[in-house]
Amino acid sequence: MNKLLLFAIFCLCPFAVAMAQLFPLKQKQVSTRIEQPGRIEFEITNANYQNYIVTGCEKEGLFICHKTEHKDKDGYNWEFIRLDTTLGTVWQKDMHLPFGSRITDYDYQPGFINYLIREKEYKQEELVLLRINLENGDTSRFYINTVIPMVPTQFHVVGNTLLMGVYTDYKPFIFRYNLIDKLPQIIPGLYNDYGEILRITTDDRLRIFTVTMSERMPDFRTTVSVRSFSEGGDMMRNIHLEPDESKSLLNGAPTNPELERQFVAGTYAHQRLTYSSGLYIARLSNSSQQRIDYFDYSELDHFFSYLSTGRERRIRERANQKKVLGQQPRFHYRLLLHDIIPNGNYYTVFGEAYYPSYSFGYHYTHAVVMTFDRLGNFLWDSSFEINDVTTFGARDLVHVGTKGDETVLLYLYDNTIRSKVLKEDKIIEGKTFNDISLTFEDDESWGGRNQVGNLSRWFGTTFYTYGIRDIENLHSEEAAYYRQVFYINKVAYR
């Protein structure tokens, strides 16, 4: 080696050590409030992650469905497993489904798990509902003919009635099918040339369902409508929100109808723009809209907290200057809105801000959380920086749990649980990083960190994470040297 190079290395080494001592690398903080009290593994022989479907069934546990490699001349065997809340197996059973069968959607309702199956891809008017009793595994199959080809975008079951949000000739409507009398029905009053079904929410206790839609107004602005129906399809409430003349309502999530009061929260834009400038809360009575309150993003205390201090200050200064001149500040955000979470006397609405990255998919920037009381009064807001996630399609990423006045936000990326804990709008625990726990002490993830995984809310402040991992263990006699597994971890906030 060149003598001059050796001399330089000799001189620089003490300097590098001294600098490392003065400026150590910042270690990622581990949460002391996030626990992983349970894990279950299923060894697999291939990485076909799509063969596994995990559904949270609240305190009735988790339900797993997957296509096995075992088959006969007519089709494959599928395995169905119910787990309790400790991830112990309650029961499991095999069922045979014909070749070409594909589970297009699924829905949990108290006591049942429901799978919507298409057995023949070229027969889009023929569907099968597989309904499984969670208590004992008893199974019923319902063969449904929709008469005309339909591509469902949403699927739910309330009571003994199947509901599908579908589009035909780009026009939305709700298809209803009663499992007792086996009569199909198109729900009247929803056929709209320029509408979009935002969400269908169900209440099995009251046996009702609510359809929230985005609709075009005569002046080409957009608004949100909320219609509630009995299980039998009779309309109980029909409300079109009426935004201010300068605004469009882009999306909305309703609370469950309670007595005479209901709320819808969502995002709004100026005029006919399709990017949001803020959030709104609409108060509804039995038959009409009472009031809509608007909050542009600069009015929220923490919406821009994901930015650097200087950039946040400049944005707020420009927004204030516009207000002084009598103008409305305009922002351009896409926000992926989740269902509203009730929490005692409060409601929590949240969503992820993202933008399309045409080379890589969708890039997330942060999640925003807003809480209001049961009178519709805004209480506080907060945000959760993301910045490190890009997905091929926009999907729910951050999940929220509430307990009293505390809120926990979590998402999974690179086999690590990122979390943040709030007490109202005050930060109890900033962004932390907890690796996914493995089964044995000497287990090590093998083959890189970018393996398939996901995280979902289960019930309360309990979540579950699942995916595929390649694991090696060189020391334990209990574990194989190498294994590929589909895993589920229970994740709890304490």
Side-chain angles (χ1 to χ4, degrees):
M1 184 180 292
N2 186 287
K3 291 182 179 180
L4 184 60
L5 179 60
L6 282 172
F7 177 76
I9 293 173
F10 177 78
C11 293
L12 287 173
C13 280
F15 175 75
V17 171
M19 292 301 290
Q21 291 173 341
L22 286 172
F23 302 102
L25 291 175
K26 186 178 179 181
Q27 292 187 340
K28 292 181 177 179
Q29 182 182 357
V30 176
S31 173
T32 60
R33 293 172 171 260
I34 301 298
E35 300 177 331
Q36 298 177 61
R39 177 180 171 93
I40 189 170
E41 290 183 357
F42 302 90
E43 291 202 34
I44 58 178
T45 57
N46 60 67
N48 191 348
Y49 173 74
Q50 297 299 327
N51 282 348
Y52 283 83
I53 299 173
V54 183
T55 308
C57 301
E58 298 181 1
K59 293 187 178 181
E60 294 189 88
L62 295 175
F63 202 82
I64 305 168
C65 163
H66 79 100
K67 184 172 74 173
T68 72
E69 297 178 335
H70 303 293
K71 61 182 178 180
D72 59 19
K73 62 182 181 64
D74 297 317
Y76 282 97
N77 280 339
W78 292 62
E79 187 175 36
F80 297 83
I81 305 168
R82 181 190 169 193
L83 306 177
D84 60 24
T85 55
T86 67
L87 300 185
T89 301
V90 179
W91 55 259
Q92 65 184 78
K93 66 185 296 185
D94 290 341
M95 278 184 271
H96 184 274
L97 294 178
F99 286 123
S101 295
R102 181 170 61 89
I103 295 176
T104 63
D105 211 337
Y106 48 91
D107 182 52
Y108 161 74
Q109 65 175 140
F112 296 93
I113 185 78
N114 302 284
Y115 293 100
L116 189 64
I117 299 172
R118 192 180 298 284
E119 292 185 347
K120 300 174 183 177
E121 196 61 42
Y122 59 90
K123 291 274 191 177
Q124 295 201 352
E125 69 276 13
E126 294 181 4
L127 294 166
V128 178
L129 174 67
L130 189 67
R131 195 179 202 203
I132 303 174
N133 187 306
L134 289 173
E135 178 65 28
N136 51 31
D138 288 348
T139 304
S140 302
R141 298 192 193 202
F142 300 88
Y143 294 87
I144 302 166
N145 192 308
T146 61
V147 183
I148 59 175
M150 294 183 180
V151 180
T153 59
Q154 299 196 37
F155 162 69
H156 294 276
V157 178
V158 57
N160 293 305
T161 300
L162 173 150
L163 303 167
M164 293 191 305
V166 298
Y167 289 82
T168 296
D169 294 331
Y170 305 102
K171 298 175 182 178
F173 58 91
I174 303 296
F175 175 86
R176 173 187 172 275
Y177 184 88
N178 185 271
L179 304 179
I180 305 300
D181 59 29
K182 297 181 173 55
L183 294 177
Q185 177 194 12
I186 301 299
I187 298 294
L190 293 174
Y191 200 71
N192 188 300
D193 285 349
Y194 302 102
E196 177 187 355
I197 301 169
L198 298 175
R199 52 188 17 95
I200 302 172
T201 53
T202 60
D203 187 324
D204 264 274
R205 181 178 60 87
L206 298 176
R207 294 286 186 102
I208 62 174
F209 64 94
T210 299
V211 181
T212 307
M213 295 186 65
S214 171
E215 299 183 4
R216 183 183 292 183
M217 302 175 69
D219 61 0
F220 297 98
R221 292 183 296 132
T222 58
T223 188
V224 169
S225 66
V226 180
R227 300 176 177 90
S228 295
F229 301 84
S230 68
E231 181 188 350
D234 298 320
M235 187 179 292
M236 303 166 58
R237 179 178 292 182
N238 182 8
I239 298 175
H240 287 253
L241 300 187
E242 298 177 6
D244 290 356
E245 291 183 0
S246 62
K247 295 179 175 64
S248 285
L249 306 185
L250 301 180
N251 56 30
T255 62
N256 283 337
E258 296 182 49
L259 301 177
E260 296 183 354
R261 185 181 296 122
Q262 187 179 21
F263 301 98
V264 179
T267 61
Y268 74 88
H270 289 286
Q271 298 297 340
R272 300 167 187 83
L273 297 178
T274 57
Y275 293 91
S276 67
S277 288
L279 298 169
Y280 73 87
I281 301 173
R283 310 180 192 193
L284 312 180
S285 66
N286 269 336
S287 58
S288 65
Q289 163 191 318
Q290 291 182 321
R291 169 177 152 185
I292 300 180
D293 293 320
Y294 301 93
F295 307 90
D296 76 61
Y297 290 135
S298 67
E299 294 180 277
L300 302 181
D301 292 333
H302 302 284
F303 185 86
F304 300 108
S305 298
Y306 74 100
L307 299 171
S308 66
T309 304
R311 190 176 176 192
E312 178 182 2
R313 184 182 65 252
R314 289 192 296 272
I315 289 175
R316 292 191 180 279
E317 286 174 352
R318 286 197 297 266
N320 289 334
Q321 288 170 2
K322 285 196 171 185
K323 290 178 181 178
V324 169
L325 297 173
Q327 301 172 357
Q328 288 295 316
R330 297 191 178 189
F331 305 101
H332 298 87
Y333 280 90
R334 296 175 187 262
L335 202 70
L336 190 63
L337 192 69
H338 293 240
D339 289 338
I340 293 175
I341 299 177
N343 177 31
N345 292 322
Y346 310 105
Y347 293 106
T348 298
V349 59
F350 67 103
E352 299 95 343
Y354 68 96
Y355 61 87
S357 174
Y358 296 103
S359 301
F360 304 102
Y362 294 88
H363 186 80
Y364 295 83
T365 58
H366 65 298
V368 59
V369 181
M370 182 175 73
T371 295
F372 59 97
D373 64 21
R374 288 186 175 265
L375 296 176
N377 299 312
F378 170 81
L379 298 177
W380 57 264
D381 73 276
S382 189
S383 65
F384 185 20
E385 176 188 349
I386 303 175
N387 275 345
D388 50 8
V389 179
T390 300
T391 61
F392 289 108
R395 62 176 178 85
D396 294 349
L397 179 71
V398 175
H399 295 271
V400 171
T402 58
K403 183 171 66 174
D405 58 359
E406 294 186 0
T407 303
V408 57
L409 302 93
L410 306 92
Y411 70 95
L412 181 72
Y413 180 68
D414 259 355
N415 297 318
T416 301
I417 300 169
R418 275 90 159 142
S419 63
K420 183 176 183 179
V421 181
L422 307 169
K423 186 179 181 68
E424 295 183 345
D425 63 339
K426 305 297 187 296
I427 299 173
I428 297 178
E429 188 176 72
K431 191 171 186 178
T432 55
F433 304 80
N434 289 51
D435 288 338
I436 295 294
S437 297
L438 303 178
T439 302
F440 300 103
E441 183 178 354
D442 296 316
D443 280 350
E444 292 185 8
S445 181
W446 179 85
R449 295 185 61 80
N450 291 309
Q451 299 180 64
V452 177
N454 208 345
L455 182 144
S456 295
R457 184 170 180 264
W458 192 349
F459 59 89
T461 53
T462 301
F463 306 79
Y464 61 97
T465 182
Y466 57 97
I468 285 179
R469 296 290 293 272
D470 295 320
I471 299 171
E472 66 177 8
N473 191 314
L474 304 179
H475 306 289
S476 175
E477 296 181 357
E478 300 177 85
Y481 170 77
Y482 166 80
R483 65 189 192 273
Q484 186 179 57
V485 301
F486 180 83
Y487 74 89
I488 303 174
N489 279 27
K490 180 178 179 179
V491 180
Y493 166 71
R494 64 177 179 84

